[in-house]
Amino acid sequence: MTADGSTTAPAPVRAIESKSIDWVPIGERRGRPRTLFPLWFMSNAQLTTLATGMLGAALGASFLSSVIAIVLGMAVGTVFTAFHSAQGPQLGLPQMIQSRAQFGYRGVVLICAVVVFSIVGFNIFNQMLAADVVVMTTGIDAPDLWYVVITALALLLAIWGYHWIHATQKWLTALFLVTFGVFTVAAAIVLPLDAAQLSLEGFAWGPFLVQFGGAAAYGLGWAPYVSDYSRYLPPQTSSRAALVHTFGGVFLGGAWLMVLGAFVAALYAGVSPLEGVRDAADAVLPGSGFWLLIAGIPGLISVITVNIYAAALELVTIVDSFRPITPSRRVRILACTVVGVAGLLGAVLSTGEFLDNFSSFLVVLLYVLVPWTSVNLVDYYFVRRGRYAVREIFVPGGVYGNWGWRGLLAYGLGILAMVPFVVTSFFTGPVATAMGGIDVALFVGLGVSALVYLLLARSLDLGEERRLAEEDAHAGGPSSVAFDGSR
């Protein structure tokens, strides 16, 4: 059954996915929460993540300092992502469509635009790194050509959709464990670090916080679309299981590769991510660096796919919010193509140092996503407790309104509250300056947005919303499932 109440036959997994922003009918739900682990593990266990682990070292942090920052940052960022993932099976909706309940039918466009921008930004960096790998391994210095090839492969998989992406990530996880898993163990044994790298002597907050922020932003960066990849799971799926498998995949995949990046940076100061990996592998076994880089290419292509697929749903949401459209296979394919081409053009036109640009991008991404995640999670777990009139989410001017002023105000105030505390390469807030450059903007944004939204939500009329949800459920439409933390 679709969001408008019509019935459809379950689509075969082998077919190109036809769903986009519409509700996934119960009859088309399948899978187990454990499938989320390889999906998110492999989305993080790739070379862009490794490069993120070198941010602190580039500013002088020791290996031990970087490891502490990486583990703490990934833990903080990933916990929010995991709680968003648990929403997918309960609602059967993409993340941003669900956010209409907090920001309004049209108000959600602001958040969607931020997410699309961030996803395209990630893909630009991913494509730059993937093209560099191909150039290094083939000797053919034609990055623009490789951008086109990489985009085409990623776009093709994104068009086939949800189930194919899940299956691909499962097989790539096995490939990663055989290649990078063996390399990691061997490097730790064969390539000893200088004793200074294993101490906190000379510790400085600046490099530590840059690495912490980069790791936290990386873990949190999946939050706006993580439930896009859990929405086909049955509604009886344990929320705890979805949360644990998502957290485990993102955290282990991200922390592993970032720590490996910090290790490589500690071995070869000032080296680029790809050169460092190649040199470290060759030091373990001469000639193995070439094959290790080759093994890293599929992971980069697959994460570009994951991003294209999700950004396409956000793009469809943006268009639908102003001019309602019928979700279809053709609409999703068109949106995927637009997102893929945007990333391609961005990669072709981009210049500058990879790590410098990527570090600044991650910091800004963290700032703009924190207030949204705070509002969304507070609404889902504390205000509405998982009860939504799903059909009304697709109605312009319906029970959720066109502009959710409570969510938008809480988001805006969260952004403003962070400004005095931010630390970036182009601006440092006055409070952060007085604190010696310590960046606590993340926690300020989370707290302010959550508190403001909780206060404003007291004026919500949830009775009418729940009545509509119950009528819809009794009529056999999209069901409203109450969140139960014990499930």
Side-chain angles (χ1 to χ4, degrees):
M1 183 171 295
T2 61
D4 63 3
S6 61
T7 58
T8 59
V13 174
R14 66 179 181 276
I16 295 177
E17 183 187 3
S18 61
K19 295 291 178 188
S20 61
I21 63 172
D22 41 337
W23 177 67
V24 180
I26 304 299
E28 295 184 26
R29 309 281 192 92
R30 58 177 66 87
R32 297 183 179 182
R34 66 176 181 232
T35 60
L36 296 173
F37 180 87
L39 172 80
W40 293 115
F41 176 85
M42 199 59 230
S43 294
N44 287 271
Q46 34 88 15
L47 292 171
T48 307
T49 315
L50 182 144
T52 307
M54 303 175 75
L55 297 176
L59 297 175
S62 69
F63 173 68
L64 180 58
S65 174
S66 293
V67 169
I68 296 172
I70 287 166
V71 171
L72 291 177
M74 282 299 298
V76 170
T78 304
V79 71
F80 297 104
T81 290
F83 274 102
H84 285 293
S85 180
Q87 298 173 11
Q90 304 301 312
L91 298 176
L93 295 171
Q95 189 72 66
M96 283 300 111
I97 282 291
Q98 185 268 344
S99 288
R100 280 177 171 172
Q102 301 96 50
F103 297 95
Y105 190 89
R106 293 197 171 98
V108 77
V109 168
L110 170 64
I111 313 301
C112 286
V114 170
V115 174
V116 171
F117 175 80
S118 69
I119 291 176
V120 171
F122 264 114
N123 271 359
I124 291 172
F125 288 114
N126 290 333
Q127 289 188 83
M128 292 169 64
L129 202 58
D132 285 345
V133 174
V134 179
V135 170
M136 288 179 64
T137 52
T138 65
I140 303 176
D141 189 9
D144 290 354
L145 169 64
W146 301 129
Y147 292 149
V148 172
V149 173
I150 290 163
T151 299
L153 293 173
L155 179 59
L156 182 63
L157 181 56
I159 286 173
W160 280 92
Y162 180 98
H163 296 291
W164 286 87
I165 294 172
H166 271 265
T168 300
Q169 295 295 72
K170 177 181 176 180
W171 287 107
L172 289 182
T173 296
L175 172 64
F176 174 86
L177 293 176
V178 171
T179 55
F180 278 83
V182 172
F183 165 67
T184 301
V185 174
I189 296 172
V190 177
L191 306 175
L193 289 176
D194 184 275
Q197 293 290 341
L198 301 175
S199 76
L200 294 177
E201 186 176 350
F203 174 86
W205 279 108
F208 178 87
L209 290 174
V210 167
Q211 185 62 76
F212 173 86
Y218 209 89
L220 181 62
W222 306 105
Y225 51 104
V226 65
S227 71
D228 297 0
Y229 290 98
S230 62
R231 75 190 197 279
Y232 276 85
L233 293 176
Q236 63 269 25
T237 297
S238 164
S239 296
R240 181 179 291 113
L243 189 156
V244 168
H245 285 288
T246 300
F247 182 91
V250 175
F251 179 80
L252 290 178
W256 179 348
L257 265 291
M258 286 187 200
V259 169
L260 185 58
F263 181 81
V264 169
L267 285 172
Y268 308 106
V271 74
S272 72
L274 299 183
E275 291 172 339
V277 170
R278 182 197 59 195
D279 293 348
D282 285 341
V284 173
L285 179 66
S288 63
F290 171 85
W291 296 107
L292 191 65
L293 290 177
I294 290 290
I297 296 175
L300 286 170
I301 294 175
S302 73
V303 77
I304 294 171
T305 290
V306 169
N307 289 337
I308 289 176
Y309 177 90
L313 299 185
E314 320 305 336
L315 191 58
V316 174
T317 301
I318 290 174
V319 175
D320 182 73
S321 295
F322 289 101
R323 184 177 181 178
I325 58 177
T326 300
S328 65
R329 181 182 289 112
R330 184 175 64 178
V331 167
R332 192 179 66 80
I333 291 174
L334 178 60
C336 284
T337 303
V338 171
V339 172
V341 170
L344 169 63
L345 293 176
V348 169
L349 298 175
S350 291
T351 59
E353 291 297 324
F354 180 89
L355 281 179
D356 290 343
N357 291 338
F358 198 51
S359 174
S360 300
F361 173 75
L362 287 175
V363 170
V364 174
L365 175 63
L366 180 65
Y367 293 150
V368 297
L369 287 184
V370 158
W372 166 81
T373 196
S374 182
V375 169
N376 183 268
L377 291 179
V378 165
D379 183 72
Y380 184 86
Y381 288 101
F382 297 102
V383 176
R384 291 183 167 94
R385 295 188 60 80
R387 293 183 181 273
Y388 295 87
V390 174
R391 192 187 301 273
E392 287 294 309
I393 288 176
F394 296 91
V395 178
V399 70
Y400 297 113
N402 283 327
W403 302 94
W405 65 270
R406 298 174 183 84
L408 291 170
L409 182 59
Y411 178 83
L413 291 177
I415 292 285
L416 289 176
M418 287 193 294
V419 172
F421 299 88
V422 303
V423 178
T424 69
S425 59
F426 49 86
F427 173 78
T428 299
V431 177
T433 300
M435 296 172 62
I438 298 178
D439 187 351
V440 295
L442 160 67
F443 305 103
V444 173
L446 283 171
V448 170
S449 292
L451 180 60
V452 170
Y453 188 75
L454 277 173
L455 291 175
L456 296 177
R458 297 175 65 181
S459 63
L460 282 170
D461 179 12
L462 299 179
E464 174 65 9
E465 181 180 339
R466 289 171 180 169
R467 183 187 67 79
L468 291 170
E470 289 173 2
E471 287 182 358
D472 190 30
H474 291 155
S479 59
S480 173
V481 183
F483 166 70
D484 180 352
S486 66
R487 293 178 58 187

